[in-house]
Amino acid sequence: MYTEELEHEILFLRQENAQLQQQLAKCTSEFSARIAQLEQKLKESEQLLQSDRQTELALKASQAELLALFNAIQDVILILDAEGRYLKIAPSSAPLLYQPPAELIGKTIHEVLPSAFADSFLNCIQQALKTKKAVKIEYSLPIGDREVWFESSIAPMSEDTVVCIARDISDAYRQATQRKAAEEALSQQEAHYRSIFETVNDGINVVDLDTGKFVAVNPAFCEMHGYSQAEFSELNPQDFIHPDSFHIFGEFINTIKMGEKFHGYAVDIHKDGTYLDIEVTAKLLNYNGKPHAISIVRDISERKQAEQEQRRLLTILEATTDIVGMADAAGNSCYLNKAGQKILHIPASETNKFHINEVTGLSILEKFQNEIVPTVLREGIWCGESIFRCRNGEEFPVSQVLIAHKNEQGEVEFFSTIARDIRDRQQIEAQLRQQAENLAQTLEELQRTQAQMIQAEKMSSLGQLVAGVAHEINNPVNFIHGNLSHLEEHTEDLLRLVHLYQSSNVPELQNGSCYPEATRANKSAEMPNALASLCEEIDLEYIQEDLPKILNSMKVGTQRIRQIVLSLRTFSRMDEADFKAVDIHESIDSTLMILQYRLKEKPNFAEIHVIKNYSSLPLVECYAGQLNQVFMNILANAIDALEQKTDNELFIPTITINTTLIDSDWVKIAIADNGLGMLEKVQKQVFNPFFTTKPVGKGTGMGMSISYQIITEKHTGKLKCFSKPGQGTEFIIEIPIRH
């Protein structure tokens, strides 16, 4: 009925069931044995439990006692593990905890306390667990509104727990801190007093009132007297107190014994024997339980010397005739010497009742406030001339020194002044200035006169030289000029004779220019060879043509020389020392003739053109020689100015001369050039003596000055100068026709 596969499956299940029954039987046997063991252990446990109950009752009684003690202790009691975690906190610790107990349990100290303190506290816990010994620590925490100081002991409870008992020691700590602070303050105060005692510049000493000896002295007192501290302890008062001051020392002892303060002056003796003036201030001092005198001693030798110097200075200030005064920083007077009181009419009782502006002249008050005072404040001193004003309103000049006295911070503390009345001095200075001006004017006149004399002497010498040269040249020139006419006549006669011979039938002479070329060629063959050669050699035909030209040129040259000589004589005018009617044009032309060599073309400079616009002028009465000198100076200066203007290749140097009849009594001569011209400041000085723009050795500076004097003083005329830079210069001479 069953298939083969199903039979195999049933067989397999039966085998598995048999195995399971075997295992179940084995487990049942084992469980029965285990149950028996457990029942045995249960009996043993019941016996132990009975014993533990008795122990538990005893432990509970002990725990109740410990808990009562734990709750009764007022210190902070904490149980923490090795990581600083709060495990248990005594209920009584709540008021001194950083946070409420409920918030602390389960937290670590790093979650509660400041980080730096938590690190330190954890180190103590670990140290206690490691060493199995208690670790003590002091610390403070802000509890509520105050800082609480704790003294804490950390002890191990088990391998990983500790108990920390912390006690509030704030009051004790505060008292200890206050006591320590007081001790430190007292120590600092003592050190401060000791420092003052040792370093103060004034001498300090402590004197035993019974013996009069020093029991303590500071270094300044020792240095003041030249003794050491050890030496002072051995000295008696008479060893260093001047005999004249013994009675003062006695007064000092008695005053202090009476409990009063002493102040006085005395003289002590230095170790080297010199005297020193001292000022003593003393009072009673309880020193080591016994009354002593503590004194402050100041060396006033320099001050007394300064007072003496001040008295001497005050005596000098009161005796001086100068005004000496002082004022505070606001300018209010605080001292005025007797001379100042007298000069300014200020009573002695009012020397400190006025402002310095009240004695400053009204005419200089603005300058005083805006210039003088700022200068004094800036530089510390001002010197100069000023004006003071008396109480009656009178003003007078003074020579004043005003000083601003400043402190180390640069702030003005007071002013001082010394002023001298210079009315008399100014009068003397005015007289001296007038005398100096007169002397300067006289010197200038002398210099001008000397220059004029020198110039006149030069012109006289030049005139004599020119006249002599003209005379010496004139004689041979006249001889030559006179013979030229005869030579001309003789030459004409000889040339006519030659021409006549050439016109004759003499074959030797028929070689003249009157024959045609062909005829001469035919005739030349008939001439003797010698005569023909001579005619050819001397070029007879050229001589006949050129000889009249030579004679005419020589005649023109002698006439030119005679004109130059005449111009020289006209320019020199040696025979015309008085007024004389002369031709102005002739004088100008003679001057131009003298300067002709300077007008000609030169290397790198063109010829100077002279344009003469002469009007019809009458003869003018003048000093001809001196007027020629004026023309010479003006024309020479014009040529100099033109020669300096070489910057323009297209420039044509020109001098223009215009003469005009102003009216029936005056003539005008204008001489202009197109040279460099002059600046205004130069133009203003052109007639000043010794003024020149020429290099040294090229001019004396007297030419135009003398010219001005000749025109204005000698001829009662006018000499004017008009010039602009780059446009040339013009001099205008106006002189009367008659005098």
Side-chain angles (χ1 to χ4, degrees), residues 524-672:
S524 61
E526 301 176 0
M527 288 184 182
N529 292 334
L531 184 59
S533 298
L534 179 61
C535 290
E536 185 177 355
E537 181 180 350
I538 65 175
D539 197 354
L540 180 60
E541 183 181 356
Y542 175 75
I543 291 174
Q544 287 176 326
E545 294 177 359
D546 193 51
L547 187 57
K549 296 179 182 179
I550 292 173
L551 291 174
N552 184 62
S553 177
M554 292 174 65
K555 189 175 181 179
V556 172
T558 56
Q559 289 176 349
R560 176 66 175 165
I561 293 173
R562 292 181 70 187
Q563 289 176 357
I564 292 173
V565 170
L566 180 60
S567 296
L568 289 173
R569 296 186 64 184
T570 301
F571 178 78
S572 64
R573 301 284 187 178
M574 290 302 298
D575 56 342
E576 299 174 4
D578 297 328
F579 270 86
K580 184 178 180 180
V582 300
D583 185 348
I584 294 296
H585 296 157
E586 185 181 85
S587 297
I588 296 173
D589 290 340
S590 67
T591 306
L592 289 171
M593 180 66 69
I594 300 298
L595 295 170
Q596 186 65 35
Y597 76 98
R598 296 195 62 189
L599 298 173
K600 294 180 179 180
E601 183 178 358
K602 304 176 188 65
N604 301 324
F605 191 76
E607 178 185 0
I608 297 175
H609 296 265
V610 178
I611 300 175
K612 294 186 286 188
N613 299 318
Y614 290 167
S615 299
S616 178
L617 299 180
L619 298 179
V620 177
E621 293 181 356
C622 62
Y623 293 104
Q626 294 184 6
L627 191 59
N628 288 344
Q629 185 180 350
V630 173
F631 293 151
M632 174 65 78
N633 288 332
I634 294 176
L635 288 169
N637 284 343
I639 294 172
D640 290 339
L642 291 170
E643 289 179 345
Q644 293 176 12
K645 189 172 182 179
T646 60
D647 56 345
N648 189 347
E649 295 181 356
L650 302 177
F651 170 64
I652 301 176
T654 305
I655 296 176
T656 304
I657 304 173
N658 294 292
T659 61
T660 309
L661 182 64
I662 299 176
D663 52 33
S664 59
D665 297 325
W666 288 77
V667 295
K668 180 174 77 171
I669 304 101
I671 302 174

Side-chain angles (χ1 to χ4, degrees), residues 16 33 41 80 125 135 145 149 155 184 207 295 361 363 388 410 420 531 639 675 682:
E16 287 291 328
K41 287 183 177 181
L80 305 99
I125 293 174
V135 177
D145 57 352
W149 278 89
E184 290 180 354
V207 180
S295 305
S363 58
F388 273 16
R420 177 169 294 177
L531 184 59
I639 294 172
V682 176

Side-chain angles (χ1 to χ4, degrees), residues 64-107:
E65 293 177 358
L66 290 174
L67 183 60
L69 181 62
F70 186 74
N71 293 332
I73 293 176
Q74 298 299 316
D75 295 337
V76 176
I77 301 176
L78 306 172
I79 297 177
L80 305 99
D81 61 13
E83 296 179 355
R85 191 180 307 279
Y86 292 92
L87 301 179
K88 191 171 185 180
I89 301 173
S92 60
S93 302
L96 295 177
L97 291 178
Y98 194 67
Q99 292 181 4
E103 298 179 7
L104 294 177
I105 298 298
K107 291 183 178 180

Side-chain angles (χ1 to χ4, degrees), residues 299-348:
D299 185 353
I300 60 172
S301 301
E302 292 183 358
R303 190 179 78 185
K304 291 196 70 173
Q305 184 177 0
E307 290 174 352
Q308 292 175 357
E309 292 292 337
Q310 185 176 4
R311 285 193 294 269
R312 284 195 292 267
L313 179 60
L314 186 60
T315 302
I316 295 172
L317 294 179
E318 292 298 326
T320 184
T321 57
D322 293 337
I323 300 172
V324 181
M326 288 187 291
D328 60 22
N332 300 308
S333 175
C334 52
Y335 171 77
L336 183 65
N337 68 340
K338 290 181 179 180
Q341 298 169 17
K342 180 180 179 181
I343 296 173
L344 297 173
H345 304 289
I346 297 176

Side-chain angles (χ1 to χ4, degrees), residues 70 75-80 86 88-90 93 117 121 124-125 135 137 139 150-157 161-167:
F70 186 74
D75 295 337
V76 176
I77 301 176
L78 306 172
I79 297 177
L80 305 99
Y86 292 92
K88 191 171 185 180
I89 301 173
S93 302
F117 174 66
F121 200 81
C124 293
I125 293 174
V135 177
I137 183 175
Y139 58 91
F150 294 94
E151 182 181 47
S152 178
S153 178
I154 302 173
M157 286 185 64
T161 59
V162 295
V163 60
C164 174
I165 301 176
R167 178 169 296 175

Side-chain angles (χ1 to χ4, degrees), residues 106-121:
K107 291 183 178 180
T108 64
I109 56 178
H110 281 90
E111 295 175 317
V112 177
L113 301 176
S115 177
F117 174 66
D119 291 340
S120 176
F121 200 81

